[in-house]
Amino acid sequence: MQGSGNHWGKTKEEIIAALQDIEAQGRRIEYTGLELVAHLNNQGLATELGYSNPAALLVHALRISPKEAKLRLAQAEALFPSITPTGSIIKPALPATSAALAAGDIGSEAVDVIRKTLKDLPDLEPEKLALAESTMVAQAAEDDPNAPLRHPGAQHRRSRRPTPARSGTETARPDAAHPRSPRRWP
């Protein structure tokens, strides 16, 4: 798709606003795509069409990698209701995240950060889980997709290994004492 090329006379503010609008539109399209993936999965269309599983159907139909297909299925499962074999409807695990993606406030990367972080907290009470989700969604909507992971205590939840005590003279990373020079583009 060719652009209009009609952006040369725009101010920097107009360019930024146009980029933000396009990003929000793309996020809303991602939402619709994931909604269709959830529907495909709930209806058992992969088996009906002769595929071994929904990921195989997505790989073939969308020409995406198996990794991307599995990611989309996991996100769709978390964001949309699912239907059990008996016909019962199971509410989505992440309704606030789903609403934020539908509004274009967050993107797929933020969805995945929130999904993975909250999945690591299965013992949290439903009210606290909903509060954690809404807090992470609000933070992700205002910052980069990994912002929820910088929240105090998030590092502890991500790490399965105990962190050794620091004496205060050590650097956080072994290579931090010798920072890399900035990458220079040709």
Side-chain angles (χ1 to χ4, degrees):
M1 184 166 117
Q2 292 287 334
S4 67
N6 195 15
H7 302 291
W8 290 108
K10 293 189 177 193
T11 67
K12 58 186 169 221
E13 292 82 7
E14 290 171 328
I15 292 170
I16 297 297
L19 283 169
Q20 290 171 331
D21 287 344
I22 290 168
E23 183 65 22
Q25 289 174 26
R27 291 169 176 178
R28 289 188 290 272
I29 291 170
E30 281 182 82
Y31 173 87
T32 302
L34 289 173
E35 187 176 34
L36 289 169
V37 168
H39 184 70
L40 171 144
N41 199 22
N42 283 331
Q43 298 300 315
L45 296 182
T47 305
E48 186 178 316
L49 294 171
Y51 290 91
S52 59
N53 57 55
L57 171 58
L58 293 177
V59 166
H60 180 256
L62 304 179
R63 296 179 307 279
I64 60 176
S65 70
K67 181 180 178 180
E68 178 66 20
K70 290 175 186 174
L71 173 64
R72 291 185 191 185
L73 284 162
Q75 288 181 340
E77 183 180 312
L79 298 177
F80 297 97
S82 59
I83 302 171
T84 67
T86 61
S88 298
I89 297 175
I90 299 173
K91 293 180 182 181
L94 303 174
T97 306
S98 182
L101 181 62
D105 294 337
I106 64 171
S108 179
E109 190 175 356
V111 168
D112 212 45
V113 168
I114 294 166
R115 180 183 66 83
K116 287 177 179 178
T117 301
L118 295 180
K119 188 176 181 180
D120 286 344
L121 303 172
D123 299 330
L124 211 57
E125 298 169 7
E127 299 82 23
K128 290 183 179 178
L129 196 59
L131 177 61
E133 180 193 8
S134 64
T135 301
M136 292 178 74
V137 166
Q139 186 65 43
E142 296 297 322
D143 208 336
D144 73 77
N146 290 307
L149 295 180
R150 289 193 299 271
H151 191 273
Q155 177 63 36
H156 171 71
R157 289 188 300 272
R158 285 194 327 254
S159 175
R160 305 265 181 202
R161 300 178 300 177
T163 306
R166 298 199 184 275
S167 65
T169 59
E170 301 172 9
T171 58
R173 294 187 340 246
D175 63 337
H178 306 287
R180 296 180 184 169
S181 61
R183 176 178 246 180
R184 301 194 189 241
W185 298 99

mmCIF file with all atom_site columns, all heavy atoms in Angstrom, residues 20-21 23-25 27-29 31 96-106:
data_model
loop_
_atom_site.group_PDB
_atom_site.id
_atom_site.type_symbol
_atom_site.label_atom_id
_atom_site.label_alt_id
_atom_site.label_comp_id
_atom_site.label_asym_id
_atom_site.label_entity_id
_atom_site.label_seq_id
_atom_site.pdbx_PDB_ins_code
_atom_site.Cartn_x
_atom_site.Cartn_y
_atom_site.Cartn_z
_atom_site.occupancy
_atom_site.B_iso_or_equiv
_atom_site.pdbx_formal_charge
_atom_site.auth_seq_id
_atom_site.auth_comp_id
_atom_site.auth_asym_id
_atom_site.auth_atom_id
_atom_site.pdbx_PDB_model_num
ATOM 1   N N   . GLN A 1 20  ? 0.483   8.278  15.917 1.00 0.00 ? 20  GLN A N   1
ATOM 2   C CA  . GLN A 1 20  ? -0.285  7.733  17.036 1.00 0.00 ? 20  GLN A CA  1
ATOM 3   C C   . GLN A 1 20  ? -1.634  7.203  16.579 1.00 0.00 ? 20  GLN A C   1
ATOM 4   O O   . GLN A 1 20  ? -2.076  6.147  17.036 1.00 0.00 ? 20  GLN A O   1
ATOM 5   C CB  . GLN A 1 20  ? -0.459  8.797  18.130 1.00 0.00 ? 20  GLN A CB  1
ATOM 6   C CG  . GLN A 1 20  ? 0.829   9.103  18.852 1.00 0.00 ? 20  GLN A CG  1
ATOM 7   C CD  . GLN A 1 20  ? 0.715   10.304 19.780 1.00 0.00 ? 20  GLN A CD  1
ATOM 8   O OE1 . GLN A 1 20  ? -0.065  11.221 19.555 1.00 0.00 ? 20  GLN A OE1 1
ATOM 9   N NE2 . GLN A 1 20  ? 1.521   10.296 20.845 1.00 0.00 ? 20  GLN A NE2 1
ATOM 10  N N   . ASP A 1 21  ? -2.286  7.916  15.673 1.00 0.00 ? 21  ASP A N   1
ATOM 11  C CA  . ASP A 1 21  ? -3.568  7.453  15.137 1.00 0.00 ? 21  ASP A CA  1
ATOM 12  C C   . ASP A 1 21  ? -3.405  6.137  14.383 1.00 0.00 ? 21  ASP A C   1
ATOM 13  O O   . ASP A 1 21  ? -4.207  5.209  14.541 1.00 0.00 ? 21  ASP A O   1
ATOM 14  C CB  . ASP A 1 21  ? -4.179  8.499  14.196 1.00 0.00 ? 21  ASP A CB  1
ATOM 15  C CG  . ASP A 1 21  ? -4.728  9.711  14.930 1.00 0.00 ? 21  ASP A CG  1
ATOM 16  O OD1 . ASP A 1 21  ? -4.913  9.636  16.169 1.00 0.00 ? 21  ASP A OD1 1
ATOM 17  O OD2 . ASP A 1 21  ? -4.966  10.737 14.248 1.00 0.00 ? 21  ASP A OD2 1
ATOM 18  N N   . GLU A 1 23  ? -1.042  3.914  14.789 1.00 0.00 ? 23  GLU A N   1
ATOM 19  C CA  . GLU A 1 23  ? -0.720  2.859  15.756 1.00 0.00 ? 23  GLU A CA  1
ATOM 20  C C   . GLU A 1 23  ? -1.983  2.365  16.451 1.00 0.00 ? 23  GLU A C   1
ATOM 21  O O   . GLU A 1 23  ? -2.179  1.164  16.612 1.00 0.00 ? 23  GLU A O   1
ATOM 22  C CB  . GLU A 1 23  ? 0.285   3.380  16.795 1.00 0.00 ? 23  GLU A CB  1
ATOM 23  C CG  . GLU A 1 23  ? 0.741   2.332  17.789 1.00 0.00 ? 23  GLU A CG  1
ATOM 24  C CD  . GLU A 1 23  ? 1.543   1.199  17.181 1.00 0.00 ? 23  GLU A CD  1
ATOM 25  O OE1 . GLU A 1 23  ? 2.122   1.369  16.090 1.00 0.00 ? 23  GLU A OE1 1
ATOM 26  O OE2 . GLU A 1 23  ? 1.601   0.127  17.811 1.00 0.00 ? 23  GLU A OE2 1
ATOM 27  N N   . ALA A 1 24  ? -2.851  3.270  16.856 1.00 0.00 ? 24  ALA A N   1
ATOM 28  C CA  . ALA A 1 24  ? -4.102  2.877  17.507 1.00 0.00 ? 24  ALA A CA  1
ATOM 29  C C   . ALA A 1 24  ? -4.980  2.074  16.554 1.00 0.00 ? 24  ALA A C   1
ATOM 30  O O   . ALA A 1 24  ? -5.598  1.076  16.960 1.00 0.00 ? 24  ALA A O   1
ATOM 31  C CB  . ALA A 1 24  ? -4.845  4.110  18.020 1.00 0.00 ? 24  ALA A CB  1
ATOM 32  N N   . GLN A 1 25  ? -5.026  2.465  15.288 1.00 0.00 ? 25  GLN A N   1
ATOM 33  C CA  . GLN A 1 25  ? -5.793  1.706  14.298 1.00 0.00 ? 25  GLN A CA  1
ATOM 34  C C   . GLN A 1 25  ? -5.237  0.299  14.148 1.00 0.00 ? 25  GLN A C   1
ATOM 35  O O   . GLN A 1 25  ? -5.997  -0.676 14.084 1.00 0.00 ? 25  GLN A O   1
ATOM 36  C CB  . GLN A 1 25  ? -5.765  2.413  12.935 1.00 0.00 ? 25  GLN A CB  1
ATOM 37  C CG  . GLN A 1 25  ? -6.572  3.677  12.875 1.00 0.00 ? 25  GLN A CG  1
ATOM 38  C CD  . GLN A 1 25  ? -6.374  4.400  11.544 1.00 0.00 ? 25  GLN A CD  1
ATOM 39  O OE1 . GLN A 1 25  ? -6.048  3.788  10.530 1.00 0.00 ? 25  GLN A OE1 1
ATOM 40  N NE2 . GLN A 1 25  ? -6.557  5.713  11.552 1.00 0.00 ? 25  GLN A NE2 1
ATOM 41  N N   . ARG A 1 27  ? -3.635  -1.414 16.356 1.00 0.00 ? 27  ARG A N   1
ATOM 42  C CA  . ARG A 1 27  ? -3.961  -2.176 17.572 1.00 0.00 ? 27  ARG A CA  1
ATOM 43  C C   . ARG A 1 27  ? -5.409  -2.656 17.546 1.00 0.00 ? 27  ARG A C   1
ATOM 44  O O   . ARG A 1 27  ? -5.700  -3.771 17.972 1.00 0.00 ? 27  ARG A O   1
ATOM 45  C CB  . ARG A 1 27  ? -3.696  -1.314 18.803 1.00 0.00 ? 27  ARG A CB  1
ATOM 46  C CG  . ARG A 1 27  ? -2.221  -1.056 19.028 1.00 0.00 ? 27  ARG A CG  1
ATOM 47  C CD  . ARG A 1 27  ? -1.989  -0.004 20.081 1.00 0.00 ? 27  ARG A CD  1
ATOM 48  N NE  . ARG A 1 27  ? -0.562  0.140  20.334 1.00 0.00 ? 27  ARG A NE  1
ATOM 49  C CZ  . ARG A 1 27  ? -0.065  1.017  21.183 1.00 0.00 ? 27  ARG A CZ  1
ATOM 50  N NH1 . ARG A 1 27  ? -0.867  1.838  21.852 1.00 0.00 ? 27  ARG A NH1 1
ATOM 51  N NH2 . ARG A 1 27  ? 1.234   1.089  21.375 1.00 0.00 ? 27  ARG A NH2 1
ATOM 52  N N   . ARG A 1 28  ? -6.311  -1.815 17.056 1.00 0.00 ? 28  ARG A N   1
ATOM 53  C CA  . ARG A 1 28  ? -7.706  -2.233 16.950 1.00 0.00 ? 28  ARG A CA  1
ATOM 54  C C   . ARG A 1 28  ? -7.860  -3.359 15.927 1.00 0.00 ? 28  ARG A C   1
ATOM 55  O O   . ARG A 1 28  ? -8.662  -4.280 16.116 1.00 0.00 ? 28  ARG A O   1
ATOM 56  C CB  . ARG A 1 28  ? -8.595  -1.038 16.612 1.00 0.00 ? 28  ARG A CB  1
ATOM 57  C CG  . ARG A 1 28  ? -8.730  -0.062 17.803 1.00 0.00 ? 28  ARG A CG  1
ATOM 58  C CD  . ARG A 1 28  ? -9.768  1.023  17.565 1.00 0.00 ? 28  ARG A CD  1
ATOM 59  N NE  . ARG A 1 28  ? -9.380  1.992  16.557 1.00 0.00 ? 28  ARG A NE  1
ATOM 60  C CZ  . ARG A 1 28  ? -8.670  3.101  16.810 1.00 0.00 ? 28  ARG A CZ  1
ATOM 61  N NH1 . ARG A 1 28  ? -8.285  3.374  18.048 1.00 0.00 ? 28  ARG A NH1 1
ATOM 62  N NH2 . ARG A 1 28  ? -8.373  3.933  15.841 1.00 0.00 ? 28  ARG A NH2 1
ATOM 63  N N   . ILE A 1 29  ? -7.068  -3.315 14.882 1.00 0.00 ? 29  ILE A N   1
ATOM 64  C CA  . ILE A 1 29  ? -7.074  -4.406 13.902 1.00 0.00 ? 29  ILE A CA  1
ATOM 65  C C   . ILE A 1 29  ? -6.525  -5.683 14.533 1.00 0.00 ? 29  ILE A C   1
ATOM 66  O O   . ILE A 1 29  ? -7.056  -6.776 14.306 1.00 0.00 ? 29  ILE A O   1
ATOM 67  C CB  . ILE A 1 29  ? -6.294  -4.002 12.633 1.00 0.00 ? 29  ILE A CB  1
ATOM 68  C CG1 . ILE A 1 29  ? -7.072  -2.921 11.883 1.00 0.00 ? 29  ILE A CG1 1
ATOM 69  C CG2 . ILE A 1 29  ? -6.013  -5.205 11.740 1.00 0.00 ? 29  ILE A CG2 1
ATOM 70  C CD1 . ILE A 1 29  ? -6.309  -2.265 10.750 1.00 0.00 ? 29  ILE A CD1 1
ATOM 71  N N   . TYR A 1 31  ? -6.785  -6.509 17.614 1.00 0.00 ? 31  TYR A N   1
ATOM 72  C CA  . TYR A 1 31  ? -7.876  -6.984 18.458 1.00 0.00 ? 31  TYR A CA  1
ATOM 73  C C   . TYR A 1 31  ? -8.866  -7.805 17.638 1.00 0.00 ? 31  TYR A C   1
ATOM 74  O O   . TYR A 1 31  ? -9.246  -8.908 18.015 1.00 0.00 ? 31  TYR A O   1
ATOM 75  C CB  . TYR A 1 31  ? -8.584  -5.798 19.124 1.00 0.00 ? 31  TYR A CB  1
ATOM 76  C CG  . TYR A 1 31  ? -9.823  -6.187 19.889 1.00 0.00 ? 31  TYR A CG  1
ATOM 77  C CD1 . TYR A 1 31  ? -9.731  -6.598 21.213 1.00 0.00 ? 31  TYR A CD1 1
ATOM 78  C CD2 . TYR A 1 31  ? -11.089 -6.153 19.298 1.00 0.00 ? 31  TYR A CD2 1
ATOM 79  C CE1 . TYR A 1 31  ? -10.857 -6.965 21.931 1.00 0.00 ? 31  TYR A CE1 1
ATOM 80  C CE2 . TYR A 1 31  ? -12.216 -6.511 20.002 1.00 0.00 ? 31  TYR A CE2 1
ATOM 81  C CZ  . TYR A 1 31  ? -12.095 -6.917 21.318 1.00 0.00 ? 31  TYR A CZ  1
ATOM 82  O OH  . TYR A 1 31  ? -13.226 -7.285 22.018 1.00 0.00 ? 31  TYR A OH  1
ATOM 83  N N   . ALA A 1 96  ? -9.848  -6.470 31.167 1.00 0.00 ? 96  ALA A N   1
ATOM 84  C CA  . ALA A 1 96  ? -9.363  -5.086 31.073 1.00 0.00 ? 96  ALA A CA  1
ATOM 85  C C   . ALA A 1 96  ? -8.306  -4.963 29.970 1.00 0.00 ? 96  ALA A C   1
ATOM 86  O O   . ALA A 1 96  ? -8.270  -3.964 29.244 1.00 0.00 ? 96  ALA A O   1
ATOM 87  C CB  . ALA A 1 96  ? -8.786  -4.621 32.414 1.00 0.00 ? 96  ALA A CB  1
ATOM 88  N N   . THR A 1 97  ? -7.486  -5.972 29.837 1.00 0.00 ? 97  THR A N   1
ATOM 89  C CA  . THR A 1 97  ? -6.476  -5.991 28.780 1.00 0.00 ? 97  THR A CA  1
ATOM 90  C C   . THR A 1 97  ? -7.152  -6.058 27.418 1.00 0.00 ? 97  THR A C   1
ATOM 91  O O   . THR A 1 97  ? -6.768  -5.358 26.475 1.00 0.00 ? 97  THR A O   1
ATOM 92  C CB  . THR A 1 97  ? -5.528  -7.184 28.975 1.00 0.00 ? 97  THR A CB  1
ATOM 93  O OG1 . THR A 1 97  ? -4.986  -7.136 30.306 1.00 0.00 ? 97  THR A OG1 1
ATOM 94  C CG2 . THR A 1 97  ? -4.393  -7.179 27.982 1.00 0.00 ? 97  THR A CG2 1
ATOM 95  N N   . SER A 1 98  ? -8.191  -6.876 27.321 1.00 0.00 ? 98  SER A N   1
ATOM 96  C CA  . SER A 1 98  ? -8.949  -6.999 26.083 1.00 0.00 ? 98  SER A CA  1
ATOM 97  C C   . SER A 1 98  ? -9.561  -5.648 25.691 1.00 0.00 ? 98  SER A C   1
ATOM 98  O O   . SER A 1 98  ? -9.469  -5.223 24.535 1.00 0.00 ? 98  SER A O   1
ATOM 99  C CB  . SER A 1 98  ? -10.048 -8.052 26.252 1.00 0.00 ? 98  SER A CB  1
ATOM 100 O OG  . SER A 1 98  ? -10.766 -8.225 25.066 1.00 0.00 ? 98  SER A OG  1
ATOM 101 N N   . ALA A 1 99  ? -10.151 -4.964 26.647 1.00 0.00 ? 99  ALA A N   1
ATOM 102 C CA  . ALA A 1 99  ? -10.773 -3.664 26.379 1.00 0.00 ? 99  ALA A CA  1
ATOM 103 C C   . ALA A 1 99  ? -9.733  -2.630 25.952 1.00 0.00 ? 99  ALA A C   1
ATOM 104 O O   . ALA A 1 99  ? -9.986  -1.823 25.049 1.00 0.00 ? 99  ALA A O   1
ATOM 105 C CB  . ALA A 1 99  ? -11.535 -3.181 27.615 1.00 0.00 ? 99  ALA A CB  1
ATOM 106 N N   . ALA A 1 100 ? -8.563  -2.661 26.573 1.00 0.00 ? 100 ALA A N   1
ATOM 107 C CA  . ALA A 1 100 ? -7.511  -1.701 26.226 1.00 0.00 ? 100 ALA A CA  1
ATOM 108 C C   . ALA A 1 100 ? -6.976  -1.948 24.814 1.00 0.00 ? 100 ALA A C   1
ATOM 109 O O   . ALA A 1 100 ? -6.702  -1.004 24.071 1.00 0.00 ? 100 ALA A O   1
ATOM 110 C CB  . ALA A 1 100 ? -6.382  -1.758 27.245 1.00 0.00 ? 100 ALA A CB  1
ATOM 111 N N   . LEU A 1 101 ? -6.847  -3.206 24.426 1.00 0.00 ? 101 LEU A N   1
ATOM 112 C CA  . LEU A 1 101 ? -6.407  -3.513 23.066 1.00 0.00 ? 101 LEU A CA  1
ATOM 113 C C   . LEU A 1 101 ? -7.485  -3.099 22.068 1.00 0.00 ? 101 LEU A C   1
ATOM 114 O O   . LEU A 1 101 ? -7.183  -2.508 21.028 1.00 0.00 ? 101 LEU A O   1
ATOM 115 C CB  . LEU A 1 101 ? -6.082  -5.007 22.920 1.00 0.00 ? 101 LEU A CB  1
ATOM 116 C CG  . LEU A 1 101 ? -5.589  -5.455 21.539 1.00 0.00 ? 101 LEU A CG  1
ATOM 117 C CD1 . LEU A 1 101 ? -4.274  -4.770 21.167 1.00 0.00 ? 101 LEU A CD1 1
ATOM 118 C CD2 . LEU A 1 101 ? -5.416  -6.975 21.512 1.00 0.00 ? 101 LEU A CD2 1
ATOM 119 N N   . ALA A 1 102 ? -8.745  -3.369 22.382 1.00 0.00 ? 102 ALA A N   1
ATOM 120 C CA  . ALA A 1 102 ? -9.852  -2.986 21.498 1.00 0.00 ? 102 ALA A CA  1
ATOM 121 C C   . ALA A 1 102 ? -9.901  -1.478 21.286 1.00 0.00 ? 102 ALA A C   1
ATOM 122 O O   . ALA A 1 102 ? -10.220 -1.008 20.189 1.00 0.00 ? 102 ALA A O   1
ATOM 123 C CB  . ALA A 1 102 ? -11.183 -3.469 22.081 1.00 0.00 ? 102 ALA A CB  1
ATOM 124 N N   . ALA A 1 103 ? -9.549  -0.715 22.312 1.00 0.00 ? 103 ALA A N   1
ATOM 125 C CA  . ALA A 1 103 ? -9.556  0.743  22.220 1.00 0.00 ? 103 ALA A CA  1
ATOM 126 C C   . ALA A 1 103 ? -8.304  1.286  21.535 1.00 0.00 ? 103 ALA A C   1
ATOM 127 O O   . ALA A 1 103 ? -8.242  2.468  21.203 1.00 0.00 ? 103 ALA A O   1
ATOM 128 C CB  . ALA A 1 103 ? -9.677  1.348  23.624 1.00 0.00 ? 103 ALA A CB  1
ATOM 129 N N   . GLY A 1 104 ? -7.311  0.419  21.340 1.00 0.00 ? 104 GLY A N   1
ATOM 130 C CA  . GLY A 1 104 ? -6.064  0.860  20.730 1.00 0.00 ? 104 GLY A CA  1
ATOM 131 C C   . GLY A 1 104 ? -5.105  1.486  21.714 1.00 0.00 ? 104 GLY A C   1
ATOM 132 O O   . GLY A 1 104 ? -4.121  2.105  21.325 1.00 0.00 ? 104 GLY A O   1
ATOM 133 N N   . ASP A 1 105 ? -5.370  1.320  23.011 1.00 0.00 ? 105 ASP A N   1
ATOM 134 C CA  . ASP A 1 105 ? -4.529  1.931  24.040 1.00 0.00 ? 105 ASP A CA  1
ATOM 135 C C   . ASP A 1 105 ? -3.233  1.174  24.298 1.00 0.00 ? 105 ASP A C   1
ATOM 136 O O   . ASP A 1 105 ? -2.251  1.760  24.741 1.00 0.00 ? 105 ASP A O   1
ATOM 137 C CB  . ASP A 1 105 ? -5.304  2.042  25.359 1.00 0.00 ? 105 ASP A CB  1
ATOM 138 C CG  . ASP A 1 105 ? -6.466  3.008  25.260 1.00 0.00 ? 105 ASP A CG  1
ATOM 139 O OD1 . ASP A 1 105 ? -6.439  3.892  24.377 1.00 0.00 ? 105 ASP A OD1 1
ATOM 140 O OD2 . ASP A 1 105 ? -7.410  2.869  26.059 1.00 0.00 ? 105 ASP A OD2 1
ATOM 141 N N   . ILE A 1 106 ? -3.244  -0.136 24.067 1.00 0.00 ? 106 ILE A N   1
ATOM 142 C CA  . ILE A 1 106 ? -2.049  -0.961 24.240 1.00 0.00 ? 106 ILE A CA  1
ATOM 143 C C   . ILE A 1 106 ? -1.914  -1.851 23.016 1.00 0.00 ? 106 ILE A C   1
ATOM 144 O O   . ILE A 1 106 ? -2.865  -2.049 22.269 1.00 0.00 ? 106 ILE A O   1
ATOM 145 C CB  . ILE A 1 106 ? -2.096  -1.822 25.532 1.00 0.00 ? 106 ILE A CB  1
ATOM 146 C CG1 . ILE A 1 106 ? -3.244  -2.836 25.472 1.00 0.00 ? 106 ILE A CG1 1
ATOM 147 C CG2 . ILE A 1 106 ? -2.184  -0.946 26.775 1.00 0.00 ? 106 ILE A CG2 1
ATOM 148 C CD1 . ILE A 1 106 ? -3.225  -3.857 26.601 1.00 0.00 ? 106 ILE A CD1 1
#
